[in-house]
């Protein structure tokens, strides 16, 4: 017989099976409901519990000067918010209400432009709305301000307890303000994207690589789990020298603001001759409020007719081709010469012109007629040869400047049709091209040409970035690059250097020169075309230039200064040349190093002179300086009772001559003493002293040897 009573057990199993079936049906029904009708709700819940593929921005790399000074750096900025729902869930809403006056007063201290009452009303508005992302302050704030806000009541708690949270941004800051602003570059602040300059050109290197994280909510807290870590951007080391940049900017700004100049645009570039490193680059525009700011990088983007600074290239082409030499003479008449139906004029045509000039003097006087006639005489029937000579000098070379907006020079090459007729050329094109018209050359290209002359004929590519650094290690070196090993014959380079030096010492470029070192260069004063309106529509605009290098005998730096202005007076040498002068002298003064031996000559005395007075103190000082006294004490008794006397110099030796101090009732002789010893000795004898001047005693109002009277005063005059 079975131990189990089926009549009792089976009903129980049946009940259990029915219950389990009902539960299974309920689970399946709930699953179907969740997947259909409740799908939207649960997706929203899931989204609040986790976030996938959240982008993490890296730290942008720094831009450094040539000696490692920060010129652009990323600093954190914040926007701060309140989540009042989190505040209430944490049970701190009562504490918030109790502290609202303290919080409002604290925010008023941090942001005084808004009152405490405003902050109280603003925060309470967000509180009553139950906002999860209520902006405490609408603008971005720096790190220090952020920490001040975070230290306020309630806000100092964790964001899960206080609801205080923030968004962090990488803000770009330039420690030197607007210095080289258009070259270093700008950022679109709201988008954190590069706008111009090196910031834009090297954006991919500076920006780094974004990272990816996902967030999961565990016990009411978000945990960040890194999938791909962000890679911070690398630093770039520029060639800019901050001190030279500041010097060039101040020199140019002072000239632009001069009432006689009142410039519209100013450009100054300083380049290191041997390397092509751009040490300073200034671009200043006159804005509507009358102030000068960096708005556009004119130095690399302005395609303008260069004017007379181009004449150097014209004369070099003729010299290099051997069609002329430095003894060649040209007739300029009375300062007006008809060139194929069009009058060419020299700047002094109203004063009778220059007459006959030798080739060097055509540059020294910047004679339009002289230069254009030399070129026209020898190249009129073959203008292609002249333009090819200009190309060979490197003026039309694409310098590949790493700044967005750079435009290479445009120099027209003559072309003929199938019938041998020029299709883009006229009889007057060559004469006017030779003096700087009919071409479009940015200042950086003109400077690269003059830098090549200074560099013995070797043309260097202007360099803006030297290195790329990551975590203190150099990951890329950008060495100096040679564009052309030689732009002209060695003899041509030497001849043109001598002529350019004489332009400054004897010609129109005197104001660019210095009495401390040789300067070589060329002035330029050109009328600026107004496009279809020509040159003479309305007020005449001028481009005033000076390009050159220094010291001319051992060139270290080249420089170009360009000023655009409206109306007269207008003088490349007298205006741009002045700026060049200040830049050159400032740079040379910064690098000046003197050796003490340079200050010695045959008449110099290297033994220090000592004042009459306490010989013990004198002995101590002279011994400390390394001088031995034949009858001294080797500096052993600086604080003993005074021994009075004077020093005697015999050749290279020093001896002491002791003197007796007069009796207590006799006025002492303090001539030659310093103030300390003279006052001590006089007051020891009971005489009150009045001091006038500084140095040694040269006069005492009471004669030495007189008897001392009660209350006697003595006036000591020093010199």
């Amino acid at each position: 017989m079975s131990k189990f009573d089926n009549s009792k057990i089976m009903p129980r199993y049946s009940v259990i099976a029915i219950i389990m079936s009902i539960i299974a049906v309920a689970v399946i029904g709930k699953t179907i409901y969740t997947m259909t009708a409740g799908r939207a709700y649960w997706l929203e819940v899931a989204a609040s519990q986790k976030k996938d593929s959240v982008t993490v921005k890296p730290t942008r790399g720094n831009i450094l000067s040539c000696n490692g000074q920060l010129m652009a750096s990323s600093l954190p900025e914040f926007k701060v918010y309140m989540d009042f729902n989190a505040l209430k869930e944490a049970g701190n809403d009562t504490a918030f209400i109790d502290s609202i006056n303290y919080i409002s007063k604290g925010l008023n201290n941090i942001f005084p432009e808004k009152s405490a009452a405003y902050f109280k009303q603003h925060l309470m508005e967000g509180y009553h709305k139950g906002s999860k992302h209520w902006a405490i302050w609408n603008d971005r704030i720096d790190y220090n301000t952020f920490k001040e806000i975070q230290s306020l009541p309630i806000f100092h708690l964790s964001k899960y307890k206080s609801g205080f949270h923030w968004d962090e941004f990488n803000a770009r800051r330039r420690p030197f303000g607007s210095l080289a602003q258009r070259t270093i570059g700008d950022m679109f602040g709201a988008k954190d994207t590069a706008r111009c300059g090196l910031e834009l050109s090297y954006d991919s290197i500076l920006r780094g690589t974004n990272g990816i994280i996902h967030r999961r909510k565990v016990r009411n807290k978000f945990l960040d789990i890194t999938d791909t870590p962000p890679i911070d951007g690398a630093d770039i080391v520029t060639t800019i020298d901050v001190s030279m940049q500041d010097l060039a900017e101040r020199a140019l700004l002072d000239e632009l603001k001069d009432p006689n100049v009142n410039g519209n645009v100013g450009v100054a570039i300083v380049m290191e001759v041997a390397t092509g490193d751009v040490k300073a680059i200034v671009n200043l525009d006159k804005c509507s409020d009358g102030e000068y700011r960096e708005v556009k990088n004119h130095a690399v983007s302005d395609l303008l007719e260069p004017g007379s600074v181009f004449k150097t290239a014209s004369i070099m082409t003729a010299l290099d081709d051997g069609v002329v030499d430095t003894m060649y003479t040209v007739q300029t008449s009375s300062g007006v010469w008809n060139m194929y139906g069009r009058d060419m004029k020299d700047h002094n045509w109203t004063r009778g012109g220059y007459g006959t000039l030798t080739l060097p003097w055509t540059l020294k006087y910047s004679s339009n007629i002289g230069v254009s006639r030399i070129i026209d005489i020898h190249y009129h029937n073959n203008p292609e040869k002249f333009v090819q000579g200009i190309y060979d000098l490197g003026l039309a070379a694409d310098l590949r400047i790493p700044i967005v907006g750079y435009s290479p020079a445009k120099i027209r090459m003559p072309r003929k049709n199938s019938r041998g007729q020029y299709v883009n050329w006229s009889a007057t094109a060559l004469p006017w091209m030779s003096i700087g018209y009919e071409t479009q050359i940015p200042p950086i290209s003109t400077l690269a040409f003059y830098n090549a002359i200074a560099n013995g004929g070797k043309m260097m590519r202007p360099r803006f970035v030297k290195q790329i650094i990551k975590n203190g290690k150099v990951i890329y070196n950008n060495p100096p690059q040679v564009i052309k090993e030689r732009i002209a014959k060695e003899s041509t380079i030497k001849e043109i250097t001598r002529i350019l030096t004489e332009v400054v010492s004897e010609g129109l470029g005197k104001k660019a020169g210095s009495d401390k070192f040789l300067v070589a260069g060329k002035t330029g004063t050109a009328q600026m075309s107004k496009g279809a309106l020509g040159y003479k529509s309305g007020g005449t605009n001028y481009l005033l230039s000076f390009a050159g290098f220094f010291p001319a005998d051992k060139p270290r730096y080249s420089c170009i200064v360009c000023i655009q202005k409206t109306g007269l007076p207008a003088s490349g040498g007298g205006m741009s040349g002045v700026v060049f002068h200040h830049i050159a002298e400032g740079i040379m003064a910064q690098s000046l190093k003197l050796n003490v031996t340079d200050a010695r000559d045959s008449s110099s005395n290297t033994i220090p002179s000592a004042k009459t007075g306490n010989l013990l103190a004198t002995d101590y000082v002279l011994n400390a300086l390394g001088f031995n006294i034949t009858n001294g004490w080797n500096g052993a008794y600086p604080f003993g009772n005074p021994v009075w006397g004077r020093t005697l110099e015999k050749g290279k030796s020093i001896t002491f001559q002791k003197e007796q101090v007069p009796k207590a009732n006799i006025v002492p002789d303090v001539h030659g003493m310093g103030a300390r010893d003279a006052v001590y000795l006089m007051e020891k004898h009971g005489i009150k002293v009045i001091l006038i001047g500084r140095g040694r005693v040269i006069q005492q109002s009471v004669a030495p040897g007189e008897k001392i009277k009660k209350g006697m005063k003595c006036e000591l005059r020093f010199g």
Side-chain angles (χ1 to χ4, degrees):
M1 184 176 179
S2 174
K3 295 181 181 180
F4 302 100
D5 187 350
N6 290 338
S7 62
K8 294 181 179 180
I9 293 174
M10 287 306 294
R12 295 175 183 174
Y13 277 114
S14 297
V15 171
I16 293 171
I18 291 169
I19 292 172
M20 292 183 67
S21 297
I22 292 171
I23 293 172
V25 170
V27 169
I28 293 171
K30 183 67 174 177
T31 302
I32 294 172
Y33 174 81
T34 301
M35 294 173 64
T36 56
R39 183 173 183 273
Y41 170 78
W42 287 110
L43 285 175
E44 185 179 345
V45 172
S48 67
Q49 299 299 312
K50 70 185 184 73
K51 289 186 178 181
D52 292 328
S53 300
V54 177
T55 299
V56 180
K57 289 188 176 182
T59 301
R60 190 174 180 86
N62 300 317
I63 299 179
L64 309 173
S65 71
C66 64
N67 50 11
Q69 294 174 285
L70 277 174
M71 300 199 76
S73 180
S74 289
L75 298 175
E77 284 191 344
F78 303 85
K79 290 198 76 172
V80 289
Y81 306 92
M82 274 296 292
D83 181 351
F84 291 105
N85 279 355
L87 178 73
K88 292 173 182 177
E89 288 175 6
N92 287 322
D93 50 334
T94 303
F96 174 78
I97 297 299
D98 292 340
S99 304
I100 187 64
N101 290 329
Y102 295 100
I103 295 172
S104 300
K105 181 61 178 173
L107 290 171
N108 167 244
N109 291 334
I110 298 170
F111 305 109
E113 54 266 43
K114 297 291 185 181
S115 66
Y118 164 83
F119 283 111
K120 182 176 180 179
Q121 183 272 332
H122 177 68
L123 292 174
M124 290 308 297
E125 181 184 350
Y127 176 81
H128 291 307
K129 289 181 177 179
S131 175
K132 293 183 179 180
H133 201 60
W134 189 256
I136 298 173
W137 185 250
N138 289 326
D139 298 326
R140 291 187 186 184
I141 57 176
D142 60 28
Y143 178 76
N144 291 332
T145 305
F146 167 74
K147 296 305 289 184
E148 286 186 67
I149 295 175
Q150 197 178 35
S151 67
L152 294 175
I154 303 299
F155 294 171
H156 71 280
L157 301 174
S158 71
K159 60 183 178 181
Y160 305 108
K161 293 181 179 180
S162 67
F164 176 71
H165 61 286
W166 57 88
D167 290 336
E168 184 174 344
F169 305 88
N170 280 329
R172 208 62 170 163
R173 291 290 177 266
R174 292 188 300 271
F176 294 101
S178 62
L179 215 63
Q181 179 175 340
R182 293 301 296 186
T183 302
I184 298 303
D186 281 324
M187 303 284 290
F188 288 107
K191 300 179 181 179
D192 288 325
T193 55
R195 180 183 176 189
C196 62
L198 297 176
E199 291 275 20
L200 181 57
S201 302
Y202 287 83
D203 183 55
S204 60
I205 294 169
L206 292 164
R207 188 194 316 122
T209 305
N210 290 341
I212 298 176
I213 64 171
H214 68 270
R215 296 175 180 172
R216 293 197 177 274
K217 194 172 185 180
V218 180
R219 293 185 179 180
N220 208 34
K221 292 183 179 180
F222 278 108
L223 296 180
D224 292 340
I225 301 172
T226 302
D227 298 321
T228 305
I231 301 174
D232 291 340
D235 300 338
I236 63 172
V237 181
T238 70
T239 59
I240 301 295
D241 184 294
V242 172
S243 61
M244 291 188 191
Q245 179 72 31
D246 181 55
L247 171 66
E249 185 170 311
R250 286 187 285 108
L252 181 59
L253 185 60
D254 288 345
E255 188 67 13
L256 289 172
K257 287 184 174 181
D258 188 302
N260 290 324
V261 179
N262 191 25
N264 302 320
V265 176
V267 170
I269 317 171
V270 178
M271 189 182 293
E272 191 173 63
V273 168
T275 62
D277 285 0
V278 177
K279 310 305 289 184
I281 178 168
V282 186
N283 299 274
L284 295 175
D285 281 84
K286 188 175 184 179
C287 299
S288 58
D289 60 359
E291 294 299 318
Y292 290 90
R293 300 182 182 89
E294 293 227 350
V295 177
K296 178 184 177 184
N297 206 318
H298 298 277
V300 302
S301 64
D302 275 6
L303 289 175
L304 299 174
E305 294 170 316
S308 295
V309 292
F310 187 86
K311 292 174 182 174
T312 302
S314 298
I315 294 299
M316 280 186 69
T317 299
L319 285 171
D320 214 48
D321 286 343
V323 296
V324 294
D325 57 25
T326 55
M327 299 303 293
Y328 186 89
T329 60
V330 62
Q331 177 58 244
T332 67
S333 188
S334 60
V336 180
W337 195 280
N338 187 273
M339 305 288 287
Y340 307 100
R342 183 179 172 188
D343 282 345
M344 172 137 347
K345 297 179 181 179
D346 278 339
H347 66 90
N348 71 333
W349 68 277
T350 58
R351 300 191 299 274
Y354 290 117
T356 301
L357 290 176
T358 60
L359 182 138
W361 282 101
T362 62
L363 285 185
K364 293 179 191 178
Y365 287 151
S366 197
S367 171
N368 292 334
I369 298 172
V371 173
S372 64
R373 289 205 65 220
I374 289 173
I375 300 306
D376 187 65
I377 289 169
H378 295 94
Y379 295 96
H380 182 76
N381 294 325
N382 190 6
E384 301 96 323
K385 183 174 177 61
F386 172 78
V387 178
Q388 186 58 53
I390 297 298
Y391 278 33
D392 293 341
L393 293 176
L395 271 166
D398 186 353
L399 304 179
R400 301 206 304 272
I401 302 297
I403 295 176
V404 175
Y406 160 69
S407 300
K410 295 181 179 179
I411 301 176
R412 182 164 41 117
M413 176 64 79
R415 294 196 318 272
K416 292 181 178 179
N417 59 21
S418 58
R419 297 188 299 274
Q421 299 170 327
Y422 287 109
V423 295
N424 65 337
W425 206 253
S426 66
T428 59
L430 183 63
W432 263 264
M433 176 182 280
S434 69
I435 61 171
Y437 294 94
E438 304 271 349
T439 61
Q440 294 178 310
I441 304 176
I444 191 77
S445 294
T446 302
L447 180 60
F449 163 65
Y450 276 85
N451 192 80
I453 298 173
N455 202 24
K458 182 185 292 187
M459 177 171 277
M460 307 299 297
R461 188 182 310 283
R463 185 168 66 154
F464 287 82
V465 173
K466 295 197 297 184
Q467 293 175 327
I468 298 174
I469 297 176
K470 186 70 177 290
N471 299 323
K473 295 182 179 179
V474 177
I475 60 175
Y476 174 73
N477 262 316
N478 182 29
Q481 297 179 34
V482 180
I483 298 176
K484 295 177 72 71
E485 281 291 343
R486 184 166 294 281
I487 64 171
K489 299 173 186 174
E490 184 178 353
S491 58
T492 303
I493 297 296
K494 288 181 178 179
E495 288 170 346
I496 204 68
T497 299
R498 177 177 60 80
I499 294 172
L500 292 178
T501 304
E502 292 172 356
V503 168
V504 177
S505 62
E506 303 173 19
L508 299 181
K510 288 182 179 179
K511 289 191 176 181
S514 171
D515 58 359
K516 302 171 182 65
F517 51 87
L518 288 176
V519 172
K522 180 70 184 73
T523 63
T525 304
Q527 290 186 30
M528 294 175 62
S529 172
K530 297 182 180 180
L533 298 177
Y535 293 91
K536 297 182 179 180
S537 175
T540 305
N541 289 338
Y542 292 92
L543 175 63
L544 316 176
S545 307
F546 187 92
F549 47 90
F550 57 93
D553 47 348
K554 293 182 179 180
R556 293 172 58 189
Y557 299 102
S558 59
C559 176
I560 187 170
V561 178
C562 302
I563 294 174
Q564 296 177 32
K565 72 180 297 287
T566 301
L568 298 172
S571 168
M575 294 176 179
S576 294
V578 170
V579 180
F580 184 101
H581 164 83
H582 291 311
I583 293 174
E585 288 211 332
I587 289 175
M588 294 303 290
Q590 287 177 354
S591 60
L592 186 63
K593 294 181 180 179
L594 298 177
N595 192 304
V596 68
T597 57
D598 296 336
R600 296 179 179 174
D601 56 34
S602 58
S603 62
S604 65
N605 186 359
T606 58
I607 299 175
S609 60
K611 297 173 182 175
T612 300
N614 183 4
L615 295 179
L616 289 179
T618 304
D619 178 69
Y620 176 77
V621 173
L622 288 173
N623 273 274
L625 293 174
F627 294 93
N628 293 318
I629 294 84
T630 55
N631 59 341
W633 299 272
N634 296 320
Y637 308 104
F639 307 112
N641 291 327
V643 176
W644 301 99
R646 67 181 68 245
T647 60
L648 299 175
E649 299 172 14
K650 295 181 179 179
K652 294 186 178 181
S653 64
I654 304 174
T655 58
F656 287 150
Q657 179 179 314
K658 300 176 185 177
E659 296 178 352
Q660 293 295 325
V661 178
K663 296 179 181 179
N665 62 340
I666 301 296
V667 175
D669 184 359
V670 294
H671 285 91
M673 292 187 183
R676 181 176 179 177
D677 286 345
V679 171
Y680 171 84
L681 199 55
M682 283 289 192
E683 290 187 347
K684 186 178 181 181
H685 283 73
I687 303 171
K688 293 184 178 180
V689 181
I690 301 172
L691 305 180
I692 300 175
R694 64 181 63 184
R696 303 169 184 260
V697 177
I698 58 174
Q699 184 180 349
Q700 60 184 85
S701 60
V702 182
E706 285 191 18
K707 287 188 177 182
I708 297 173
K709 299 176 182 178
K710 188 176 181 179
M712 180 177 281
K713 294 181 181 180
C714 183
E715 183 180 280
L716 301 181
R717 190 173 296 274
F718 296 80

